[in-house]
Amino acid sequence: MSKLPARPLTITNGCLVLPGHADPVPGALRIIGDRIAGIGDVTPGADDVVHDARGALIAPGLVDLGVFAIDPPAFHFGGISRAALMPDQNPPLDHPARVRFAAYSGKPDFWVHPLAAATRDLAGSEMAEIGLMKEAGARAVATGRRWIIDTGVMHRLMQYCAMLGLPLIVHSQDHGLSGNAVATAGEMATRLGLPQAPAEAESIAIARDLALVRMTGARVHFRQVTTRAGLALIRAAKAEGLPITAGITPAHLFLSDVALGGFRTFARLSPPLRCEDDRQAAIAAVGDGTIDVIASGHDPRGPEDKRLPFADSQPGMAGAETLLPLSLGLVRDSVISTERLFDLIAANPARILGVEAGALRTGFEADVMLVDPDRPWQVDSSRMAASAGNTPFDRLPVQGRCVALFKGGRLVDQMKG
Amino acid sequence: MTSPENLSVRRPASDYPPGSMAFPHRHLLGIAGLQPWEIEFLLDEAEQWVDMNRRPSKHDGRLAGLTLINAFFENSTRTLLSFEIAGKRLGADVVNMHAAQSSVKKGETLIDTAVTLNAMRADAIVIRHGSSGAVQLIADKVGCPVLNAGDGTHEHPTQALLDALTIRRRKGKIAGLRVAICGDILHSRVARSNMICLSTLGAEVRVAGPPALMPPAVETMGGTPCRDFAEALDGADVVMMLRLQNERMQGQFIPSPREFRHLYGLTDAKLALAQPDALVMHPGPMNRGIEIDSHIADNIERSAITDQVEMGVAMRMACLDVLTRRRRGVEGWT
């Protein structure tokens, strides 16, 4: 572990994104060691390092729930200070040693919260050593980017996770319906001649897992809920009081399957992009609180995985850099407030992982980001901080940029100019 | 055996915009995106080659010195042969590349293969590949015209063109005809290209198949989905049967070939629902006794299946000629 910063840090002249305030509040933030010590009307001490925010938003560093690679340059560009690493690694995170190694891999500038593989080899048949992986630092359990076919296995898994008090992060795609599909059934998939699966593959999977939640009381996070029918099930289950949460990625909020046109493999995702009606339903679900988390799903993949015929390419997108600007669009479009946005991309993911971060609260880890919410820039897949430029948003003009990022009170990245 | 009379109506050349405006595309990747007059231009261009191909001396040297590579990543007999003959009759140096003999088996990526073919200075590349979109991927990387000879379950444009030519020559027109396309629609690139092509040319296209083999949203490609085979056949002027593509099926889509024949096989009783002079077509290879009964396939009064093969060569000659005009410096093709 790195040493704590010796002198306190005060960030002045900014607008604080605070819990309980829909809109940012002018003020300052004082950090002592790696913790937030004062918020709002604070004056720097005589010995303080003072950082002038120059009117930028002072916001919590983002907590990205569900990434597939540890890619610090991309995360820092995007204002992400912590990420939960999916177990879909090679080899998978199904062993305590691998979990412990992953947990230390980004420190000190970036924190990785490994997600323990629910089953050995992510094969969906035998439970992995979840309890030992919890000891090794796993904050949650995940089924990976696949569905556990065997309902008996899933039932026992939920019972076990409930006993350990670990949330279970699931991927909702019924296997029988989805098979080898790479696109959602509809006009686009038919025109392109791609293997397709009905969107209902998602809601069928969610329905089963909700029934198991009722039986076991497990805390389940549905990592990506992307269809109108799936979101309706989540909404009803929340009203019923089930201990569940749901997430989505900006791709599913801002793109429909039309993006597959021309066989663009950067738009090959899992779950696949949906129709426009599902996309509209997802935006509405962010607005009404059905969705709790927006995550990047960061999965940088080079030409060897992407420059292939569509169905032969690997799913996934480099999303870390675009998470913040695209999500800020929801505030500009008046779908949500700034406070709620940071619940979705910082506070809620931190709460699910059980870490004292993701919000500007006294005593919380000083993961702080300065954001210029209006700064324009253009996404360019050939010039990205990520280890690969597979973004489906190539050439899109966006607004909002992290201008400085502090991890545990230390400045780890600052935009030049 | 005598060939049926040609009822085709060719447009006078003056009907088309001059030079490359008549067909401004660099590649032929699909029927989608082609204007009706562009399709008709290609059909009209093919007529001369049908005539030439029936003469004892079948040679025209206009592609002399050009190298045509047929890169087939998926097995094919008739399409490969058809392109090879088309290229040779136009005087091109034709080279066939079979995936089985190539470095593809050694793990070379498609893009690397494409770049290699390009470096060998091919003047036109014909590609068949088992994955939808693969041909477009290659077309984006090479400097010469690319012709799609079938990519996965996406498109097979020269098949749709040769089918349109066959129909036009046998029926004298395409607009207003009722065409039934039946069988395994889901896995058929021929069905997709034909739905778009024939509906663009004004035909009423009906589509029928077992529900598991019918893709959604065919109506957006110009097809009208039918509840059953009989509804599709009712009063049809053209009946196009498709092969059951077992090799593309993952899982069971129909209970058995026998049952498929019972419900969707073209028998005399089924054919009686169509017009008395309805034309029967099949892109081949046929599963005789499954989607089509042998004696229907072999009935030259009704079946246009051998016509289709004949038109295939002429149609591909027209495509190769038109797409290489720019390269050959034909006047007006810049």
Side-chain angles (χ1 to χ4, degrees), chain A residues 179-180 185-196 262-263 304 306-312, chain B residues 32 110-111 129 131-134 136-137 141 151 153-154 186 192 196 215-218 220-221 250:
Chain A
N180 64 343
E187 177 183 353
M188 208 62 204
T190 297
R191 277 182 178 276
L192 296 177
L194 295 173
Q196 46 183 304
F263 298 97
E304 62 283 6
K306 285 292 191 184
R307 211 158 60 187
L308 294 169
F310 195 90
D312 304 337
Chain B
L110 191 57
I111 295 286
H129 196 282
S131 213
S132 303
Q136 183 172 331
L137 190 66
K141 297 286 166 197
D151 63 326
T153 55
H154 175 225
L186 181 69
R192 283 173 175 79
I196 303 171
V218 288
T220 64
M221 305 176 81
Q250 298 231 336

Side-chain angles (χ1 to χ4, degrees), chain A residues 5 33 69 80 113 152 157 160 165 167 180 206 220 238 250 359 374 395 409:
Chain A
I80 298 164
H113 297 293
L157 184 62
Y160 208 74
N180 64 343
I206 291 174
V220 170
K238 285 186 162 187
D374 300 317
R395 300 279 147 204

Side-chain angles (χ1 to χ4, degrees), chain A residues 129-294:
Chain A
E129 293 169 330
I130 297 166
L132 294 177
M133 287 192 278
K134 182 186 179 190
E135 289 298 313
R139 288 278 176 183
V141 179
T143 62
R145 188 147 49 188
R146 64 182 91 183
W147 149 261
I148 291 186
I149 299 171
D150 188 321
T151 307
V153 171
M154 193 60 169
H155 181 215
R156 291 188 288 275
L157 184 62
M158 282 199 198
Q159 288 176 316
Y160 208 74
C161 289
M163 172 191 81
L164 292 170
L166 283 176
L168 176 64
I169 299 175
V170 300
H171 182 82
S172 307
Q173 280 286 93
D174 178 78
H175 182 75
L177 274 180
S178 50
N180 64 343
V182 298
T184 305
E187 177 183 353
M188 208 62 204
T190 297
R191 277 182 178 276
L192 296 177
L194 295 173
Q196 46 183 304
E200 286 75 7
E202 178 177 285
S203 46
I204 288 168
I206 291 174
R208 180 197 77 171
D209 288 349
L210 286 174
L212 294 173
V213 169
R214 279 185 203 101
M215 291 164 69
T216 59
R219 271 162 59 207
V220 170
H221 175 65
F222 295 85
R223 192 168 66 88
Q224 295 180 91
V225 186
T226 58
T227 62
R228 185 176 286 279
L231 289 161
L233 288 172
I234 297 290
R235 196 173 285 123
K238 285 186 162 187
E240 184 189 329
L242 295 185
I244 58 155
T245 47
I248 197 164
T249 67
H252 290 96
L253 285 173
F254 298 112
L255 297 175
S256 69
D257 59 1
V258 172
L260 272 54
F263 298 97
R264 288 180 357 130
T265 57
F266 286 2
R268 161 126 157 73
L269 306 173
S270 171
L273 290 172
R274 307 301 191 182
C275 69
E276 178 61 17
D277 178 63
D278 284 329
R279 188 186 81 85
Q280 295 290 348
I283 296 272
V286 169
D288 71 15
T290 304
I291 297 261
D292 304 280
V293 173
I294 303 177

